[in-house]
Amino acid sequence: MTEKELQKLMDSMTLEEKVGQLVQCLAGQFISNEMEMTGPEGELLPKEELNRVMGSVLTFEDARQAKALQDQHLAADPKKIPLLLMLDVIHGLRTTYPIPLAMGCSFDEKLMTECADMARKESAACGVHVTFNPMVDTARDARWGRILETCSEDPLINGRMGAALVRATQREDLSNPENIACCVKHYAAYGAGEGGRDYNTVELSERILRETYLPAYKACLDAGARLVMPSFNSLNGIPSVANQWLMNDVLRREWGFEGVVISDYNAVGELVAHGVAENLRDAARMAMEAGCDIDMVMNAYYLHLANLVRDGEVREEAIDRAVMRVLRLKNELGLFENPYHGADEEKEKELYLCPAHREIARRAAEESAVLLKNDGILPLTDGTRKLALIGPFAEERHLVGFWSRPGAWKDAVTLPEGIRQLKPEIEITTARGCGADIGDTDESGIAAAADAARKADTVILALGEPEYDSGEGRSRAELTLPGPQMKLARAVLKANPRTAVVLFNGRPLVLTELAEIAPAILEMWYPGTEAGSAAARLLFGEANPCGKLSVSLARGAGQYPMAYNHPNTGRPKPEPDSQAFPFTSCYLDMTNRPLYSFGYGLSYTEFEYQALETDRDRMTPEETIRVRITVKNTGSRAGKETVQLYMRDRVASVVQPVQQLIDYKKIRLEPGETRTVEFEIREEQLRFWSFDCRHISEAGEFEISTGYADHLKLTKTFRLEK
Ligand code: NOJ
């Protein structure tokens, strides 16, 4: 349709019909549906009336349901305006790839593109028009269970990965039934909730908000994302969905966003619980005034918007603007001509878990695993015959992580399945040892597990955090391995020191004791469908670990929030960092440093950083500096290395981070191969948000280094001249 035709359509609509376009219902309200909800269900409303006018639906199961929902609605709607169907496809639809936090550790946008591409194809076949992805909330607190949904504690990685996902999901033309639209979330700073508690209050200066949190959302919008979801939290006193500054001033005016804003689940209704709206009617008015186009579930708009207009409290033009945005999106997706879009039962069968998709998922799982420690026992290439697979995750199939589709875990490859496929000659015994649930105290299986360890020549100890203990509403105050897992680890390691630990978890855990006693630790996160095959290939050396931490791993939960690029203080702790030093910014009982730093990760080969060279030592804002970093693979196998470029602004008008990643490149080197990686430094990368919130650079000295956070090397300086 042309813009004129869309306008004509809208002009023909009654006020109730217009409001309907701004209402999103659960598929389960209309169709029997087994999907889990992440919030309360709305009060029962007249289904027939709702079905006639509603504009969009979330959380449906498959192409058959998608078509049924569309048919049912179109048969009832005299205006024949198709529904928008939305779903949370966060790390794959049926073929699940690693959780976003793991994907961040791959430092690989090309890999993200491949994964997003496969998720797009499967989603389109399922009938999805909009995915609530990417989530690019910068998160620095592992107590927050939703840290698994973000790629990093660093906005640069979040922005790059998020933008790659948007480009691969939407591609050029949304009317192509193979493409779907992206909704960036959760705008803004949802990851900064106090105490790491989900949905909690966020208080941030505008300067830090702009420096650390906003850039990743903006990068996704620059990549073309069509929708934005405001976050549940209040930001400096105002819940995002009613935050006029955030939505009208920054998002719409400053950034020029013209797409659709959709509330999070019941977030409009929650304005009442927040205590900023007296009732649901008030809440509907406030969200509308802040430019929230669609109300996701709970019916604040459905019940009150029309009356608010009739009573003169909301201007009909505001409703019209929102409706036009929704209609434009439907039109762009080609729904008026083809309301099913890509929904296709045959394609679902053909694509779901097909070998090509499984291969991508396996590669992604391999490339996002991080080898945290290796005293030399990995890879297990020296003739393991009798292997004991021990621990609560030894035979676990729930390895796909929160936000995978219901039942997706059933398709995951377990560790023994992966190992048997790769090494059929190895004799495997298994022992669970104990559970991994919070509060689980049953230690009765530990002795038998230790016995199994003793009888084996090699042990793989699979520990972690149950799949549904990280994710939405899953904050934790303690970050140790839950249940008696550390007791199991002590017993097994004592019985057989030739033990490699494999971890499956959705958030950074505190591994301080484990790192002291275990000779090798491989962090797999939640790797998705191909979990067991990827882990087996890494453990037995068919694949070489190359993930680098995109989040810091703390030594104790008390260190959070924590980020490698924290601002300097007037009393930095002196190096070496071996003991507490009173009257500096430190803890008496723990060092400031994480156990494992951002950017860290081992390989089965060795990389030597030979040189960091620059083509000049001063630049003006119009000039650039070329940086060349030379790396050699000095080990005996091929491997991938992420070459990281850090910057430090020595003196500035506001306190600067002690280190800041400004670029990175992942390369693959054959044994003995040397490669020089080139970066270009532009003035724009040297900018920061000033005290009065201007994005500026200042003349002066800058340091650049490589290596990884807290372990920088080959530092050089240059001057920016103005
Ligand atoms: C609540 C979550 O916060 C959000 O991320 C998700 O997209 C919606 N529910 C829809 O399921």
Side-chain angles (χ1 to χ4, degrees):
M1 281 204 216
T2 61
E3 178 77 8
K4 235 179 164 179
E5 286 168 326
L6 284 180
Q7 185 69 45
K8 208 168 144 211
L9 172 65
M10 194 197 61
D11 292 342
S12 75
M13 289 161 75
T14 64
L15 183 55
E16 277 71 18
E17 284 170 343
K18 287 184 197 170
V19 168
Q21 289 302 308
L22 312 182
V23 171
Q24 178 161 85
C25 301
L26 290 164
Q29 285 175 267
F30 303 95
I31 231 158
S32 108
N33 182 301
E34 290 177 2
M35 296 183 79
E36 199 198 24
M37 295 298 105
T38 56
E41 289 198 33
E43 53 188 287
L44 284 176
L45 291 168
K47 267 194 193 171
E48 272 175 30
E49 169 61 11
L50 212 51
N51 175 45
R52 188 174 69 78
V53 297
M54 69 180 167
S56 64
V57 163
L58 85 154
T59 312
F60 61 99
E61 283 170 9
D62 50 24
R64 191 186 49 81
Q65 273 199 359
K67 289 180 177 174
L69 282 160
Q70 198 68 278
D71 289 344
Q72 185 177 305
H73 165 73
L74 286 172
D77 178 3
K79 298 279 155 51
K80 305 282 175 237
I81 303 175
L83 291 173
L84 266 176
L85 301 181
M86 309 198 191
L87 194 65
D88 289 285
V89 185
I90 308 299
H91 49 114
L93 191 105
R94 191 63 189 277
T95 316
T96 311
Y97 61 86
I99 55 169
L101 191 62
M103 291 301 294
C105 295
S106 76
F107 278 76
D108 190 342
E109 288 120 68
K110 234 178 108 229
L111 186 69
M112 179 57 115
T113 302
E114 284 185 80
C115 288
D117 201 53
M118 128 181 126
R120 167 184 62 74
K121 288 184 190 146
E122 294 192 9
S123 305
C126 171
V128 178
H129 306 149
V130 173
T131 170
F132 298 118
N133 208 17
M135 186 280 214
V136 287
D137 302 327
T138 299
R140 295 158 165 219
D141 197 328
R143 291 173 297 178
W144 190 48
R146 298 196 81 169
I147 196 168
L148 83 86
E149 285 175 59
T150 192
C151 283
S152 178
E153 68 188 29
D154 189 83
L156 178 76
I157 300 177
N158 284 337
R160 284 193 183 178
M161 287 296 209
L165 188 144
V166 170
R167 282 192 284 266
T169 308
Q170 298 190 158
R171 300 199 297 175
E172 291 295 298
D173 172 13
L174 279 182
S175 71
N176 177 340
E178 289 201 338
N179 300 343
I180 62 174
C182 284
C183 176
V184 180
K185 65 190 189 183
H186 306 87
Y187 179 72
Y190 183 36
E194 281 178 6
R197 267 178 23 227
D198 208 0
Y199 318 116
N200 209 9
T201 314
V202 175
E203 288 287 326
L204 283 176
S205 71
E206 182 182 337
R207 194 176 67 76
I208 291 298
L209 182 72
R210 287 185 180 274
E211 190 79 63
T212 308
Y213 294 90
L214 297 191
Y217 309 109
K218 175 73 165 48
C220 297
L221 296 178
D222 290 345
R226 297 297 200 278
L227 299 93
V228 168
M229 184 189 291
S231 53
F232 281 125
N233 56 282
S234 65
L235 175 65
N236 300 333
I238 317 281
S240 299
V241 74
N243 195 322
Q244 299 211 28
W245 175 79
L246 204 54
M247 306 242 279
N248 291 333
D249 295 356
V250 179
L251 180 67
R252 298 271 190 213
R253 285 187 205 110
E254 191 179 318
W255 294 353
F257 178 66
E258 289 178 351
V260 173
V261 170
I262 176 166
S263 83
D264 202 342
Y265 195 109
N266 188 34
V268 180
E270 286 170 19
L271 292 174
V272 179
H274 270 288
V276 294
E278 219 165 286
N279 48 42
L280 210 54
R281 178 184 159 110
D282 214 14
R285 180 186 51 74
M286 290 169 74
M288 198 66 219
E289 279 171 0
C292 172
D293 301 317
I294 301 181
D295 176 14
M296 184 194 289
V297 194
M298 295 301 274
N299 311 310
Y301 280 11
Y302 181 74
L303 294 174
H304 300 291
L305 262 191
N307 284 337
L308 281 163
V309 171
R310 279 192 278 267
D311 295 345
E313 289 179 58
V314 167
R315 296 212 333 266
E316 191 158 356
E317 296 85 82
I319 308 273
D320 289 355
R321 270 199 301 274
V323 171
M324 276 306 283
R325 288 197 277 255
V326 174
L327 293 180
R328 277 189 207 112
L329 180 60
K330 292 183 174 184
N331 189 40
E332 220 194 325
L333 283 156
L335 298 182
F336 289 100
E337 294 75 30
N338 175 16
Y340 292 162
H341 200 57
D344 182 334
E345 292 92 326
E346 285 309 307
K347 273 209 170 148
E348 281 181 301
K349 280 189 217 139
E350 185 189 307
L351 291 169
Y352 290 177
L353 301 164
C354 66
H357 286 190
R358 279 187 171 272
E359 195 271 331
I360 295 171
R362 198 209 70 228
R363 216 157 13 88
E366 286 169 13
E367 302 239 341
S368 52
V370 185
L371 183 61
L372 296 175
K373 183 175 177 189
N374 189 12
D375 282 354
I377 77 163
L378 289 179
L380 303 172
T381 42
D382 55 355
T384 297
R385 288 275 156 268
K386 290 177 85 174
L387 175 72
L389 251 179
I390 296 176
F393 291 83
E395 292 182 279
E396 182 61 74
R397 201 176 291 282
H398 281 273
L399 299 173
V400 288
F402 201 98
W403 288 120
S404 46
R405 302 319 308 152
W409 64 273
K410 292 182 196 151
D411 301 311
V413 179
T414 64
L415 257 182
E417 285 166 357
I419 297 171
R420 276 194 195 107
Q421 200 183 19
L422 190 70
K423 299 274 167 192
E425 69 281 7
I426 294 181
E427 186 189 316
I428 302 177
T429 53
T430 55
R432 188 157 186 268
C434 68
D437 288 333
I438 296 170
D440 189 333
T441 53
D442 184 1
E443 298 170 10
S444 57
I446 294 182
D451 201 41
R454 216 169 284 120
K455 290 180 184 144
D457 54 52
T458 306
V459 179
I460 293 174
L461 180 59
L463 307 174
E465 195 187 39
E467 200 179 32
Y468 270 70
D469 280 356
S470 52
E472 187 178 344
R474 269 69 170 184
S475 294
R476 286 183 65 196
E478 297 283 359
L479 296 174
T480 44
L481 284 161
Q485 293 188 86
M486 271 317 296
K487 279 207 171 155
L488 173 69
R490 280 180 219 121
V492 167
L493 281 154
K494 201 166 156 211
N496 189 342
R498 200 179 137 74
T499 294
V501 176
V502 186
L503 295 173
F504 296 101
N505 49 292
R507 56 150 63 80
L509 292 171
V510 167
L511 305 171
T512 314
E513 187 194 343
L514 188 68
E516 267 168 36
I517 61 175
I521 306 177
L522 179 66
E523 174 61 87
M524 291 296 300
W525 308 108
Y526 275 113
T529 308
E530 289 294 321
S533 359
R537 283 169 49 83
L538 288 163
L539 290 164
F540 287 91
E542 292 293 317
N544 190 355
C546 61
K548 304 280 181 189
L549 290 174
S550 61
V551 279
S552 315
L553 298 200
R555 286 168 196 269
Q559 286 182 317
Y560 286 112
M562 158 176 257
Y564 80 96
N565 50 355
H566 59 86
N568 209 355
T569 70
R571 292 195 175 190
K573 187 143 174 263
E575 301 291 334
D577 199 28
S578 56
Q579 67 194 79
F581 197 87
F583 307 112
T584 63
S585 178
C586 69
Y587 302 106
L588 289 180
D589 52 356
M590 195 177 279
T591 151
N592 288 354
R593 286 176 182 268
L595 179 65
Y596 295 115
S597 309
F598 175 91
Y600 166 84
L602 301 171
S603 162
Y604 293 151
T605 189
E606 300 280 324
F607 296 101
E608 188 183 279
Y609 281 70
Q610 296 184 327
L612 183 155
E613 292 155 330
T614 49
D615 66 343
R616 51 170 82 200
D617 57 10
R618 38 196 73 220
M619 69 182 262
T620 63
E622 293 71 39
E623 290 168 341
T624 59
I625 290 192
R626 259 166 206 272
V627 183
R628 292 160 56 86
I629 299 174
T630 305
V631 186
K632 180 174 184 187
N633 180 351
T634 54
S636 54
R637 21 182 325 157
K640 289 187 179 173
E641 173 72 342
T642 299
V643 182
Q644 304 165 43
L645 181 64
Y646 290 84
M647 179 273 274
R648 177 175 184 166
D649 186 346
R650 295 290 306 262
V651 179
S653 55
V654 293
V655 175
Q656 290 298 303
V658 295
Q659 53 201 333
Q660 181 63 53
L661 182 74
I662 55 166
D663 210 342
Y664 55 86
K665 273 186 191 151
K666 194 166 180 174
I667 53 169
R668 183 178 189 280
L669 294 179
E670 293 298 326
E673 189 182 345
T674 302
R675 177 98 53 90
T676 299
V677 179
E678 287 206 0
F679 296 99
E680 197 177 67
I681 299 183
R682 288 163 278 112
E683 179 268 344
E684 183 191 309
Q685 290 164 292
L686 309 177
R687 289 187 201 168
F688 60 88
W689 287 90
S690 66
F691 185 70
D692 53 355
C693 283
R694 286 173 304 120
H695 201 209
I696 57 165
S697 63
E698 289 174 346
E701 195 170 76
F702 293 80
E703 282 175 4
I704 45 170
S705 319
T706 188
Y708 61 94
D710 286 337
H711 294 80
L712 300 179
K713 49 188 160 195
L714 301 176
T715 303
K716 272 240 153 83
T717 58
F718 69 89
R719 290 191 72 80
L720 174 67
E721 292 177 338
K722 290 196 169 182

